[in-house]
Amino acid sequence: MSYKIDTIVLEARECREYDRIYTLLSREKGKISAIGVGTRKPKAKLASGLEPLTKNELFLIECRGLDRIKGVIIHDQYPKIRENYDKTILVRRTTRILSWLLLEGERCEDIFLALADFLTLVEKTSFENKDVGRSKVVLFQLALFWRGVAWLGITPSLYYCVSCRKKISKNDKFIFSVPNGLRCEKCFANKDKNSMYISTDSVKILRFFLEGEVEILKKIKFDRKVLAELSNITRYTLSHIIERRIIF
Ligand SMILES: [Zn+2]
């Protein structure tokens, strides 16, 4: 049986003498692995359409073990990401973390679409002006990770204190405790090494991340301090879930 899917190539690794195994994020089937037979040969027709960071349409044949890639139509290869070292590193780290986070063979169409949007954003954004362009990219990178976290069913409490269940109000001081969520001032005594202070602005943005409020995130104003705080909380949370040190 053969079938057709839209994918973004996350990773490729060598297999046997002439083949590669690809990790793909597909619109239809979530994260999957497939084999490209002969893609390491010098004149392999499929190889260029299967390079990591390619958005494509793939034709596959069901096989025992890994399905086999038979054809590819390239949709986008993001040339401006490929020619810029910083962009390439940022995107490769992003796709690697997503790949660790997502479970094989479970549908996640909204994450596929969010990753496609993210790649388009990085492609279009100039990295010359670090403050404006790059901060926006980082914000959407974090948003993408939190989509993955929410997809796993992990939703930290952002409206009530995880210890005493009191509703969080705007002027309270609180800490974020990984991975459970916010803890109010009265429960600070329980602060451990996986807790950090968090500002009201960061909490607000974290809620938008978890609720997938993309349109609001496009317009939102934030400063560097908030972004640093959110990056820190995201890094701690991902490290906790994936159980390894995360760099992005
Ligand atoms: Zn409390």
Side-chain angles (χ1 to χ4, degrees):
M1 266 271 286
S2 62
Y3 62 95
K4 191 181 83 170
I5 48 174
D6 288 332
T7 86
I8 296 165
V9 183
L10 301 179
E11 313 241 17
R13 63 178 197 276
E14 296 178 355
C15 162
R16 298 191 294 237
E17 202 173 345
Y18 296 116
D19 310 339
R20 280 196 187 94
I21 292 173
Y22 296 93
T23 307
L24 310 157
L25 180 59
S26 71
R27 182 200 289 266
E28 295 83 355
K29 292 168 171 261
K31 186 179 85 170
I32 59 164
S33 298
I35 188 159
V37 173
T39 49
R40 289 177 63 199
K41 287 182 183 166
K43 286 183 180 168
K45 275 193 208 139
L46 290 175
S48 73
L50 290 169
E51 282 174 26
L53 302 187
T54 300
K55 186 165 178 279
N56 58 25
E57 193 177 339
L58 286 190
F59 301 86
L60 293 106
I61 294 182
E62 278 179 6
C63 293
R64 228 187 300 160
L66 293 174
D67 291 356
R68 205 168 142 169
I69 301 166
K70 290 304 284 179
V72 54
I73 298 172
I74 297 171
H75 285 178
D76 205 336
Q77 286 198 308
Y78 309 100
K80 293 204 167 99
I81 296 179
R82 281 164 196 268
E83 70 189 25
N84 181 302
Y85 180 76
D86 286 348
K87 286 187 180 189
T88 305
I89 295 292
L90 181 134
V91 168
R92 292 301 297 269
R93 282 178 175 162
T94 309
T95 53
R96 184 166 308 146
I97 291 169
L98 267 191
S99 177
W100 284 334
L101 212 52
L102 300 173
L103 307 173
E104 189 115 359
E106 295 201 21
R107 273 192 76 136
C108 51
E109 189 178 358
D110 62 330
I111 296 176
F112 170 84
L113 296 172
L115 177 59
D117 286 347
F118 177 71
L119 294 175
T120 305
L121 175 74
V122 181
E123 173 77 4
K124 282 193 315 202
T125 305
S126 163
F127 272 25
E128 297 301 315
N129 184 341
K130 286 197 168 177
D131 284 346
V132 187
R134 206 180 170 132
S135 310
K136 204 78 188 173
V137 164
V138 171
L139 187 81
F140 276 89
Q141 182 192 33
L142 300 178
L144 187 58
F145 292 147
W146 283 99
R147 291 290 275 269
V149 171
W151 178 82
L152 283 172
I154 301 166
T155 44
S157 173
L158 296 178
Y159 292 93
Y160 298 92
C161 168
V162 291
S163 296
C164 70
R165 313 304 303 165
K166 195 189 105 179
K167 197 168 193 300
I168 301 289
S169 66
K170 212 172 118 197
N171 299 318
D172 286 347
K173 273 209 165 76
F174 32 82
I175 54 170
F176 185 87
S177 169
V178 174
N180 304 323
L182 299 179
R183 207 169 267 173
C184 76
E185 201 168 14
K186 288 200 184 103
C187 303
F188 269 21
N190 305 327
K191 188 175 180 304
D192 54 41
K193 69 171 172 49
N194 282 329
S195 302
M196 59 214 84
Y197 288 96
I198 180 170
S199 65
T200 325
D201 285 347
S202 296
V203 172
K204 208 164 71 183
I205 294 178
L206 210 47
R207 286 173 183 161
F208 294 143
F209 284 167
L210 281 165
E211 286 152 19
E213 296 281 6
V214 179
E215 292 308 314
I216 298 175
L217 290 172
K218 280 183 189 163
K219 291 177 211 138
I220 209 158
K221 298 257 190 293
F222 55 91
D223 61 29
R224 201 184 284 182
K225 203 180 134 240
V226 166
L227 199 61
E229 212 170 58
L230 287 167
S231 294
N232 207 17
I233 286 166
T234 307
R235 193 170 295 119
Y236 265 86
T237 305
L238 291 173
S239 301
H240 178 88
I241 296 170
I242 301 170
E243 292 177 332
R244 60 166 96 195
R245 221 183 105 221
I246 295 294
I247 300 169
F248 57 77

